[in-house]
Amino acid sequence: MGCDGMDYSTIVDVFDKMEATSKRTELTDLIVGLLKSTPRELIDKVVYLMLGRLRPEYEGIELGVADRMALRALSVSSGLDMKSVEELYVKTGDIGEAAEEALSKRLQAVLFKDKLTVERVYSTLERIAMLKGEGSQDTKIRYICNLLNDAEPREGKYILKIITGKLRLGVADYTILDALAVAFTESKENRDILERAYNLTSDLGLVARTVALDGLDAVKAIGVELFRPIRPMLAERVSSAEEALDRMGGRCAAEYKLDGERLQIHKHGNKVRIFSRRLEDITSHYPDAIDAIMASIKVDVIVEGEAVAINQDTQEYLPFQELMHRRRKYGIEEAMREYPIALNLFDILYIDGRECIDLPYIERRNILEGLVNGSMGIVSIVPMLIVSDAKSMEDYMLKAINEGCEGLMIKDLNSPYRAGARGYAWIKLKREYRSELADTLDLVVVGAFHGRGRRAGRYGALLLASYNREDDTFYTVCKVGTGFTDEDLERFYGMLSPYIIRHKHARVNSRLEADVWFEPRIVIEVIASEITLSPLHTCAMNAIREGNGLALRFPKFTGRVREDKSAEDATSVDEILSMYRRQLKVTRQVQASEEDTGMIE
Ligand code: AMP
C-alpha cells in the first residue's frame, strides 16, 4: 500500500463488521485491524471517518446534509424516481440501507467505474462541508452523486450515513485510544500516555497520527496549545461538608459554584476564542466577554470561568435559563443588552507560553489573582475561601446560595488540573432537591433601589418584607428585580412615590440599606424557587440558625399588585417559617425515598 491510496471498500468491510458486533473486545480488535491496515499518513482521516466526522469536533465542521438532499442525490444516481427512493427509506427506516438497496437496483450498469479510495471520499466530503449558502445545494448534490456513481451499493450505504450524520458504529473515544495503543505501541499499558495527549488536545486524529508516524515519545511531547481546547476537569459529588472536608484531608479551598455556562477562553494577542464545556466553539455567543477579556488581561492565556446572567440592578446572579438567550445566531447584540453577564474566572491553564496545568491548584489561583485585580468590568475571579472546618464550609455555602449560587466547588489545594478527568480533587457541594415553591407570597414593599442601564430613572429592585403580628413589625425577606415589564416599572414609580419617607420606617426591621424607603403600604405577589437561610434578611432571624434569617431564592414578581390587601395582610413571618420547615421535610422525604430505592437495587 502507499501512493495508490487505500481502497474505500477496506474500511467499509470493517464498518459492516463493527455494526454487527455487540462485544466491546471484538470492536476494539476490529479497529486495531483497520488501523494496522491503514497507510500511516491516512490514520487521522480514518479515525475521523470512523467517528462520522471530518475533523475534531471543536472545529465545528458539519457535513450538514439533510435527509432530503441525500435522497435526491440517491435518486439521481440510482435512476429511481424520488418516490421510490423515499419508499425505500420508509421501508428500511435507515438511510444507509435505503442507499444500498437503491444502488443495487441501479438501472443502467455504470461502465467505467473508478474505484473509490479513502482519500477521494474524504476530500469530496470535505468539499461538501465547505459549501455554504443558498446556491450550494445543487453543487452538493453533484458532489454526492459523483461519489455514489462510482460506489458499490455497500459503499454507498456508508457515504449516506456519514453525510447525514447517522453513522453509529458505537465507538467511544476510549475504544479508539485502546485500539491505538495496541496497534502502534504493542501494549495496552501505553493507553494512559495517549489519553493524556487526547485530554490536552481534544483531537483523536492528531493523537493517532502522531503515534502512528512519530511514536510514543512524540505523543509524550504533545502539550497544551492555544486555540486547541483542553478537555475539562470535572467534579465528583458528596452530600455533606464533613465528607468533602474528609476527602480533602481537612483543609481545602471552597469556591462559589455558579450556575451558568462554563467557558474555556483562549487569548493570543487580540485574538480570542471561547469553547463550551462540550468543546464547541461558542465565541460568537459572547462578544461582551471577549471585549472584557481583552480589556482586563494583557498577556496570552487560557483561562476557565463561568458566565452567569446577572440582574443589572441588584447585581444578583440569575438562574441558568437566562443565559439561553445567548444561544442564537442573530440578535446577539440585543441579547447582550437585555441579558448582561458576569464572567467569573476559576482556573488558568496557560500563560505566556507556559503551560500551568501541572501546577498545584493554589499556585494556579495565585497566578489568576495576579492576572485580574479585583473586579475589572464584568470579569472577576470567583470568590474563594480556604477552610479547615465543616462549619465554615457550611456558612460559606449559605452565603453562596444566598447570592444566587448553586453551592460550592471544593478544591484540593495541591491538585494539578486533571484535564478530562472526573475525580475527588474537585467536589461539588450543592443544595439538592430545590423545588419551586408551590405557593406565591404576598409581600410588602418597604424600600427600593435605583435602577441602572435600561432602568435608569426608575426603581431597579424592590425590598420586600413579611409581617409579624406579635411585635407589629415588617421583616425583610428578599430583594426582587425580576418579573417587571416596562409598564410595571412605570406604574410602581408612580404608585410608590406618595409613600416615600426620609428614613427607614420605624416598623421595618432591615439589615439592608435601601436607596429609598417607603411607608409599608403596597403589597405585591411574588413566586420564588425556594426559601433559604440568609444573614442579610431579618425574617425569622435566629429561628433556624443563629445569625440567619429566611430569604427567598430567585424571587420574581408575578405581575399582580395585591390592591385587595393591606400591609398587615401580607404573608406572615410564621407562615414563611412553616413553609421553610415543609420544604425541609419534603427534601428529607425525597432523600429517604431515594435511599430506599438505592437499597432495593
Ligand atoms: P456539574 O455541571 O454540576 O457537574 O458541575 C460542574 C460545573 O460547575 C463546571 O463544569 C462549571 O461549569 C461549573 N462551575 C461553577 N462554578 C465553578 C467553580 N468555581 N469551579 C469549577 N466549576 C464551576
Side-chain angles (χ1 to χ4, degrees):
M1 254 173 303
C3 343
D4 297 343
M6 181 186 193
D7 282 352
Y8 178 59
S9 64
T10 313
I11 70 173
V12 166
D13 286 344
V14 182
F15 282 7
D16 260 342
K17 292 191 191 128
M18 286 168 74
E19 268 201 334
T21 184
S22 56
K23 296 201 197 87
R24 184 183 145 133
T25 48
E26 229 170 81
L27 197 63
T28 315
D29 292 345
L30 286 166
I31 302 173
V32 171
L34 176 59
L35 292 171
K36 281 188 167 167
S37 61
T38 301
R40 298 207 167 187
E41 64 280 4
L42 277 184
I43 283 285
D44 48 348
K45 294 186 174 147
V46 169
V47 165
Y48 294 133
L49 287 177
M50 212 178 331
L51 293 164
R53 299 204 280 270
L54 294 175
R55 298 285 308 149
E57 209 169 3
Y58 70 81
E59 287 186 16
I61 293 173
E62 300 287 340
L63 278 153
V65 173
D67 286 0
R68 235 194 116 61
M69 188 192 286
L71 290 175
R72 256 206 286 153
L74 185 59
S75 153
V76 174
S77 188
S78 65
L80 300 179
D81 56 28
M82 196 56 185
K83 188 159 163 279
S84 322
V85 168
E86 278 168 348
E87 276 168 10
L88 275 179
Y89 187 19
V90 172
K91 191 186 89 189
T92 57
D94 180 297
I95 202 154
E97 278 168 37
E100 190 168 0
E101 271 200 41
L103 292 176
S104 59
K105 288 186 184 150
R106 207 162 358 202
L107 294 179
Q108 73 248 61
V110 185
L111 287 180
F112 303 102
K113 269 212 276 192
D114 272 335
K115 246 189 171 173
L116 284 182
T117 61
V118 173
E119 292 90 328
R120 178 172 155 206
V121 170
Y122 183 91
S123 67
T124 311
L125 296 183
E126 221 173 14
R127 265 184 246 144
I128 293 172
M130 295 303 160
L131 286 169
K132 296 259 143 49
E134 283 290 295
S136 68
Q137 295 227 350
D138 290 341
T139 324
K140 277 194 190 174
I141 291 178
R142 232 179 327 112
Y143 282 140
I144 302 168
C145 288
N146 175 292
L147 289 180
L148 291 181
N149 289 343
D150 283 336
E152 295 298 332
R154 259 173 357 111
E155 296 176 329
K157 167 177 165 186
Y158 288 101
I159 289 169
L160 281 216
K161 281 190 180 226
I162 293 175
I163 58 172
T164 55
K166 293 194 171 69
L167 184 70
R168 303 272 181 275
L169 296 176
V171 281
D173 298 352
Y174 292 103
T175 323
I176 293 186
L177 288 170
D178 277 347
L180 284 170
V182 177
F184 299 115
T185 78
E186 306 301 337
S187 161
K188 245 186 166 171
E189 307 287 292
N190 290 320
R191 182 205 133 118
D192 287 354
I193 297 171
L194 300 175
E195 190 177 332
R196 177 196 152 274
Y198 173 50
N199 285 332
L200 297 189
T201 60
S202 315
D203 186 349
L204 277 178
L206 175 76
V207 177
R209 190 180 170 83
T210 310
V211 69
L213 289 176
D214 306 316
L216 259 191
D217 282 339
V219 176
K220 286 184 193 156
I222 289 179
V224 166
E225 217 172 79
L226 278 163
F227 306 116
R228 210 163 55 186
I230 298 163
R231 300 187 67 234
M233 177 166 180
L234 303 170
E236 279 290 350
R237 94 175 47 216
V238 297
S239 50
S240 72
E242 284 85 6
E243 197 183 339
L245 200 65
D246 256 10
R247 292 248 178 208
M248 293 292 174
R251 191 161 176 270
C252 53
E255 290 182 355
Y256 277 18
K257 183 178 193 302
L258 300 144
D259 188 12
E261 180 168 32
R262 183 174 189 158
L263 308 185
Q264 190 179 102
I265 302 166
H266 293 230
K267 170 186 176 288
H268 175 68
N270 49 21
K271 179 176 171 197
V272 178
R273 302 258 96 190
I274 301 179
F275 299 99
S276 71
R277 170 185 167 141
R278 298 192 42 233
L279 310 178
E280 297 152 318
D281 188 327
I282 47 167
T283 310
S284 64
H285 298 181
Y286 290 101
D288 41 359
I290 293 176
D291 288 347
I293 286 285
M294 296 291 280
S296 52
I297 301 179
K298 295 299 166 207
V299 291
D300 294 345
V301 287
I302 301 177
V303 287
E304 276 197 319
E306 192 86 354
V308 207
I310 50 159
N311 179 321
Q312 240 178 348
D313 297 313
T314 61
Q315 290 299 306
E316 281 167 331
Y317 297 131
L318 298 176
F320 168 73
Q321 290 79 334
E322 297 289 320
L323 265 186
M324 288 298 101
H325 303 287
R326 295 292 177 121
R327 296 205 159 264
R328 54 168 135 175
K329 281 214 175 104
Y330 310 102
I332 277 287
E333 295 291 323
E334 209 184 320
M336 255 165 48
R337 245 177 292 120
E338 285 185 30
Y339 307 94
I341 55 156
L343 178 56
N344 290 263
L345 302 180
F346 57 74
D347 220 317
I348 180 156
L349 313 180
Y350 172 102
I351 179 165
D352 250 350
R354 205 157 46 92
E355 189 172 298
C356 357
I357 51 170
D358 291 323
L359 297 176
Y361 163 84
I362 194 67
E363 281 183 40
R364 300 201 308 281
R365 173 85 194 187
N366 285 339
I367 298 178
L368 199 56
E369 283 174 5
L371 198 64
V372 180
N373 297 319
S375 165
M376 304 175 76
I378 64 168
V379 182
S380 59
I381 309 229
V382 80
M384 183 273 274
L385 182 72
I386 293 185
V387 293
S388 44
D389 66 285
K391 166 91 175 36
S392 334
M393 197 186 278
E394 272 162 15
D395 286 348
Y396 201 54
M397 169 137 112
L398 280 180
K399 186 161 182 280
I401 288 173
N402 269 300
E403 286 172 36
C405 295
E406 267 185 304
L408 295 178
M409 268 297 205
I410 308 299
K411 298 187 175 177
D412 182 342
L413 294 167
N414 302 312
S415 170
Y417 185 89
R418 302 209 165 100
R422 188 182 293 285
Y424 284 97
W426 281 11
I427 295 176
K428 50 191 168 191
L429 197 56
K430 285 200 243 184
R431 267 286 282 300
E432 300 296 339
Y433 315 112
R434 205 195 304 149
S435 59
E436 186 95 356
L437 286 179
D439 300 339
T440 56
L441 294 93
D442 299 320
L443 300 169
V444 191
V445 184
V446 295
F449 300 85
H450 294 309
R452 285 196 271 167
R454 204 160 50 91
R455 293 186 179 172
R458 319 255 173 79
Y459 298 132
L462 304 178
L463 182 62
L464 303 184
S466 55
Y467 178 63
N468 191 35
R469 194 171 312 270
E470 269 82 58
D471 56 6
D472 187 34
T473 303
F474 296 92
Y475 291 90
T476 72
V477 64
C478 72
K479 218 159 125 178
V480 63
T482 314
F484 300 98
T485 62
D486 286 348
E487 294 80 65
D488 287 334
L489 292 174
E490 204 61 83
R491 186 155 65 114
F492 274 110
Y493 206 78
M495 193 166 57
L496 287 163
S497 53
Y499 304 114
I500 293 179
I501 45 181
R502 305 262 291 276
H503 49 77
K504 188 176 67 173
H505 195 275
R507 287 163 65 214
V508 170
N509 187 321
S510 170
R511 285 190 171 178
L512 291 177
E513 261 313 307
D515 294 329
V516 185
W517 292 105
F518 305 111
E519 198 186 318
R521 288 294 277 273
I522 305 287
V523 178
I524 67 171
E525 188 184 70
V526 297
I527 47 169
S529 65
E530 64 172 339
I531 301 171
T532 62
L533 290 169
S534 162
L536 295 180
H537 290 284
T538 53
C539 170
M541 180 55 77
N542 300 333
I544 301 284
R545 193 185 171 99
E546 201 54 40
N548 282 274
L550 293 178
L552 299 187
R553 184 153 191 259
F554 297 139
K556 186 175 170 188
F557 175 52
T558 63
R560 254 181 102 186
V561 176
R562 297 301 306 253
E563 275 149 354
D564 53 336
K565 285 201 165 182
S566 73
E568 288 75 16
D569 292 328
T571 305
S572 72
V573 169
D574 277 344
E575 277 175 80
I576 294 179
L577 196 55
S578 66
M579 282 167 93
Y580 178 76
R581 293 206 166 105
R582 248 193 337 263
Q583 176 188 296
L584 274 189
K585 215 160 109 197
V586 171
T587 309
R588 292 211 184 99
Q589 275 164 1
V590 174
Q591 262 166 343
S593 72
E594 286 202 349
E595 276 160 23
D596 282 346
T597 1
M599 278 162 69
I600 292 163
E601 279 171 18

